[in-house]
Each structure stands twice: as structure tokens, then as C-alpha cells.
Amino acid sequence: AVVTVEDKASVEKISGSVKTVSVDEDASIDEIATDDSIAPTVNIGEGKVDKIDFDGDKEGTVNVNTDESVVGDIDDAKDVTIDNGKVGNIDASGSVEIKPDDDEHEVTVGNVTAGTIEIDSGDSKGVATGTLKVTGDDSEITLSGDKVTVDGIDFDNYGAELKLDGFDGTIPAPKNAADEDATVSTQQADDKVIIKGDADIGNITIADESQFTFDSKANIGSVDGSGKLIVGLGKLNVKSDASDVQLKISDSFKVGDVAYTSDHDTIDEDSFDNYGFTVTKTEGATTDTYKIASVEFTGLTITPASAKLTKGQSQTFTASAYAPGTTVPEGYKAQFYFDGDDAIFDYKDNADGTITITAKDISEFSSENKATLTAELVDEDGATNDDYDAGEADITAVETPETNFK
């Protein structure tokens, strides 16, 4: 059977053998509960469905299409595609794809459990979900865009992979991700991810020029790639191996401090490209310790490295020498350069190595709400010295304060 519900019609329940259900024109259905005779397709336009429960032997497909689509929980689905709208919890054996295109309405989704999960905020207003949970070792979660917010990520002790592909944002530390094959990876040079909370992850792979930042403890099995890993002083432990990745310490440090640790006999002093410092290794029975042996000036750094500002909020940024304890070479100074929309941001160079940025408005276009602050090393004539790295900070004007993950 093919069932179409529209023109503000209200239906209590659709059940039995149904091939296709279409809901549109402000219609509503309390429940769709099909049997095991056929795998149905449910298309939801400008309408509401409180609950969708397919038979486990004939899993159905759901398409949620408009910003006026409202759907409750979806159980025993095969595949779910969400272009726009609001959806409850989803349980699917196949794929869940969330790729909105509406720049006026945020897509909200509850907890998602599926074999494959793809979320791309694109040019939309954004995507917010509950916890994303995988279903097996072959499962993949892919996050793309700069307006993706997830409450949690659960590997459920599988060797699955979380791919950050064209992603710029913050995620909570994945839970149950310590399996030796569990992997979190960046895919593109401009990927930037901040991982909030204590993390225990089987592997991280950091693509060339991309950036991983941990704001708390990071217990990682294997670290590879050629990008940048940023972590607090003494907060990184490596369980298996590390190679090529540039390691930057986000805290202030000095000679003698513990930079990071590893399980015994797993890595060496030169396994990381230690940025602005060298280490000496002290072996222990179960844990090896790597202490700061020397520091060198490599360029400038800006603190904080990122900020999300609501309308009217200000943040002062400081440029300083990196590594800590080093000084800017004689005859040079830090020069700020701000790249942002003057209609959205105000800035004031305080002429003391600091600059204050204020978000004075919010644009409906997400690209206009982003700005980049750079600090370059210049000589007395204002010429940039490219032998040293510039500091950089990302600023975003947002409607609501950033979520703090526990």
C-alpha cells in the first residue's frame, strides 16, 4: 500500500503492510508501526510524526526533508536521511546522514545509533545532536563543517573510526574508545578539532597541517601523521607508538618539567617533533618519563588560541614568545593582523603585546562570523621575518555561549 497524509489531516496510527508513507501539508501521524512483510519508505515534508517503529526483519527508510518536519523517535530503521527538521532518537542498522542546507533553522537530532553516521553542517545554520554511537568494528562517524555540536560520542568498545573531514570545532572526548583499532582522524589540512575532557583513545591520525588539541588528559595508543598535536604539560601518555607528529605544549613550561609520558619501552626522545623544546627520557618499570631538557625560540604564540564571543562580548589576546622562557630576538616585535568583517567585529591594538576583540553583531551568514588573528614577528621597518612561526587565534561570533563538556 501507498499512503499519503496531507492537507492538515490527523491520523492516529498507520500499521501493517505499507510500501510508502508520505506526510506533508501540516498533516500529523501519532505512530507508524509496520509489519515484517515489506521494508517501507517514509517521507516527511511539512508534517509531524510522533513515532516510527519498523519491524526488525523489514527495516525501513526515513527521509526528513523540510525545516517544518518534526519527527519523534525512529526505531529499527535501515537508513535515515535528514535534510532539515527536528528528529528524536534514531536507531538504524545502516546509515544516518544529516546534511542540512537551511541557513535559518538549526537541525536538532537526539541520540543516534547506526552503522555509519555522516554529519555535515555545510552552509546551514547548524546541526546539534545527542550522543552518536557506533554498532560495530566497521562503523564510521564522519563530521564535517564548522557548526556541528554533539553531546557525546560512544565507540561502545568497538574498533570503529571517527573521521573529521573538513571539520572545525569542538567535540567531547569519545567514550569507550580504547580498543587498539579505535581511531580518531583528521582528513584535510584545514581540519581543527578541540577534544574536551579526559580522553582514552586507541589511535589518532593527524593529517598534514591539521591540528588536534586536547584540553585535558590524553591517553593515546598510537599517534601518527604529520600534523600538529597540542596538549597540556604532562597530560599526554602514549601507550604504543608515535611518529612524525609535531607536539606543542599548550601550558607554560621550563627545563625539568615533565612534558609527557609513555608506557615503558614504546617511544623514544625523537618519536615526536617536539616544538620549541627537547626532552630527556627516564625509564621506569611501567612508565617512561620525558622531561624538558632545553627550550628554543620558534616564533610567536597567541593566548587564548580561540574564542567564541556572543554579541557585546570582548576578549583580550596576548602575543608572546614560544617556547616559554625564550625571548623575542632583539630588534623585533609582535605585530597583530586581524582578518574579519568590520560589521561584526571591533578590535583595538593595545600597543603592549595585546589586542582586544569585540563581537558587536551576529550575521546570518556563518562565514561573516569568523575571524582570524595573526601575530607576526616584524623588524623595526615592519618587515616580517619568515624564519619564525606566526601565532594564530580563531575568533567566532556566536548567538549562544560555547557548550562545556563534562
Side-chain angles (χ1 to χ4, degrees), residues 97-118:
E97 184 177 293
I98 307 171
K99 297 182 177 181
D101 56 11
D102 187 343
D103 61 6
E104 295 184 357
H105 302 88
E106 183 181 58
V107 170
T108 60
V109 181
N111 299 328
V112 180
T113 301
T116 302
I117 302 171
E118 294 184 49

Side-chain angles (χ1 to χ4, degrees), residues 168-181:
D168 184 353
T170 300
I171 61 172
K175 297 183 181 301
N176 304 311
D179 184 275
E180 63 179 11
D181 292 323

Side-chain angles (χ1 to χ4, degrees), residues 212-262:
F212 256 84
T213 300
F214 289 92
D215 84 330
S216 192
K217 294 179 181 179
N219 188 33
I220 310 298
S222 172
V223 182
D224 65 23
S226 52
K228 180 182 289 185
L229 172 61
I230 302 174
V231 66
L233 181 67
K235 291 184 178 180
L236 171 66
N237 182 70
V238 177
K239 295 182 287 184
S240 178
D241 59 79
S243 61
D244 299 330
V245 168
Q246 184 183 86
L247 178 63
K248 182 177 181 180
I249 304 298
S250 58
D251 300 319
S252 180
F253 58 85
K254 63 184 184 301
V255 171
D257 286 342
V258 174
Y260 51 91
T261 62
S262 73

Side-chain angles (χ1 to χ4, degrees), residues 1-6 9-25 27-35 38-54 60-65 69-71:
V2 176
V3 178
T4 300
V5 182
E6 56 188 15
S10 180
V11 176
E12 183 176 339
K13 186 175 184 179
I14 294 176
S15 60
S17 178
V18 182
K19 181 179 181 180
T20 305
V21 179
S22 297
V23 186
D24 207 354
E25 297 179 359
S28 66
I29 301 173
D30 290 346
E31 182 180 5
I32 297 174
T34 56
D35 62 22
I38 192 170
T41 298
V42 177
N43 301 308
I44 303 164
E46 297 178 3
K48 179 181 179 182
V49 178
D50 289 339
K51 183 179 180 180
I52 301 174
D53 189 359
F54 298 111
T61 299
V62 180
N63 302 305
V64 184
N65 301 318
S69 303
V70 179
V71 185

